[in-house]
Amino acid sequence: MSISHQGIGMTSLRTRERMIKRLAEQGITNKRVLEVMRDTPRHIFMDEALSSRAYEDTALPIGYNQTISQPYIVARMTEELLDSARNLKKVLEIGTGCGYQAAILAQLVGHVYSVERILSLQKKAKLHIGELAFRNISYLHGDGHLGWSNYAPFDGILVSAAPAEIPVMLLKQLSIGGVMVIPTGSSGMQVLQKIIRTPSGYEKENLEAVTFVPFLSGTE
Ligand code: SAH
C-alpha cells in the first residue's frame, strides 16, 4: 500500500465492517462476497480527494465521466455470478474502470479477463490492482462489444456499463451453464439481468432496476 494511503488504510477496516453490515441489511447473503469486500481496501481505487468517501453506498467519479459502482451493486452482481455458476474458472468483465470490481472477482474466481475501452482508466486500474498484487487478472484495451474471443468461452460474464441490448458476441462467448450479469436499457430505465446459457438457448431473469453509465462503442 502506498504511503499516501496508509493513514486512511489503518482506520478503514472498521469502516469496511460497517459497510458489510449495511450490505447484509440490504440483502446480500453470500459470505464469501461479504468477506472479500470486508478485506479489500476500496479507497485505494479512488483519487485521494474522494478516498474518505470510498465506503459510502454510492457511485463516485473516477474520471473520464465514469464512476466506480456503489458497493451494493458490486456485491449484488458478484453474488449473482457466484450463486448461479457451478465453477467460475474464467470470468470476463466488461468495463475495468478503476479496477475495484476486478479485484473483488479475482479473489473469488479462477481468472479475470477484464476489458476497458478507455486506455487511461485501464492504466489507473493496473496501478491500483498492482498495489494488491493479484496475479490472476488479464487486461485488454478494447471495445467490449467484441468480448475477448481468445479466451472464450467464459463461465461468467459481468458487465459494468449498460448497452441498449445485450451484445451478440457476449452471448456467444458464454459457456453452456455459464452466467452473465448485465444491466440493459437506456439511461433512467435500466434493469439488471441475469442470463444463463443452457444447451438449447438462454434463460433470462430481471433482477432489479439500476443506474449504470452507458456501454459505448470504440476505444479512446
Ligand atoms: N467495474 C468498474 C466500473 C466502472 S464504470 C469499477 O469497479 O470501477 C464502467 C466502465 O465501463 C467505464 O470505465 C467505461 O469506460 C467502461 N465501458 C463502457 N463501455 C465499454 C465498452 N464498450 N467496452 C469496454 N468498456 C466499456
Side-chain angles (χ1 to χ4, degrees), residues 20-219:
I20 292 314
K21 201 167 157 257
R22 202 171 57 218
L23 290 174
E25 285 162 9
Q26 288 170 306
I28 304 298
T29 55
N30 188 304
K31 292 218 160 33
R32 291 172 64 218
V33 172
L34 291 170
E35 269 167 27
V36 165
M37 289 185 69
R38 183 194 61 211
D39 296 339
T40 308
R42 181 170 157 91
H43 57 276
I44 67 163
F45 291 87
M46 301 184 188
D47 292 339
E48 209 73 67
L50 280 174
S51 54
S52 65
R53 300 187 56 197
Y55 300 97
E56 292 176 13
D57 196 28
T58 176
L60 291 166
I62 54 173
Y64 310 90
N65 273 329
Q66 304 304 320
T67 53
I68 181 173
S69 303
Q70 72 187 98
Y72 170 73
I73 284 294
V74 172
R76 180 81 209 268
M77 292 178 88
T78 311
E79 174 169 273
E80 288 293 341
L81 213 59
L82 256 60
D83 291 352
S84 311
R86 298 148 313 184
N87 187 2
L88 290 165
K89 278 196 231 140
K90 294 195 288 177
V91 172
L92 175 69
E93 181 198 25
I94 306 295
T96 316
C98 66
Y100 178 69
Q101 173 77 69
I104 298 297
L105 282 174
Q107 298 171 77
L108 294 162
V109 308
H111 198 101
V112 180
Y113 297 86
S114 190
V115 182
E116 171 58 54
R117 60 178 292 281
I118 302 178
L119 186 60
S120 317
L121 272 179
Q122 187 201 46
K123 285 184 179 159
K124 269 201 201 176
K126 283 182 180 171
L127 279 178
H128 297 148
I129 292 172
E131 289 197 47
L132 303 175
F134 296 127
R135 300 262 170 269
N136 59 336
I137 306 178
S138 302
Y139 305 89
L140 176 70
H141 176 227
D143 182 342
H145 280 102
L146 303 175
W148 195 344
S149 55
N150 291 4
Y151 295 102
F154 297 97
D155 309 306
I157 300 183
L158 189 154
V159 183
S160 299
E165 279 170 33
I166 302 173
V168 178
M169 291 300 283
L170 295 185
L171 289 169
K172 282 192 179 155
Q173 291 178 19
L174 195 59
S175 66
I176 291 173
V179 185
M180 172 160 29
V181 183
I182 180 170
T184 58
S186 53
S187 63
M189 295 185 38
Q190 298 166 357
V191 59
L192 190 64
Q193 294 192 307
K194 179 166 78 178
I195 288 95
I196 298 183
R197 185 166 190 180
T198 67
S200 56
Y202 298 87
E203 282 171 5
K204 273 189 204 174
E205 189 189 330
N206 286 349
L207 300 175
E208 62 182 282
V210 285
T211 307
F212 276 81
V213 295
F215 193 98
L216 301 174
S217 294
T219 57

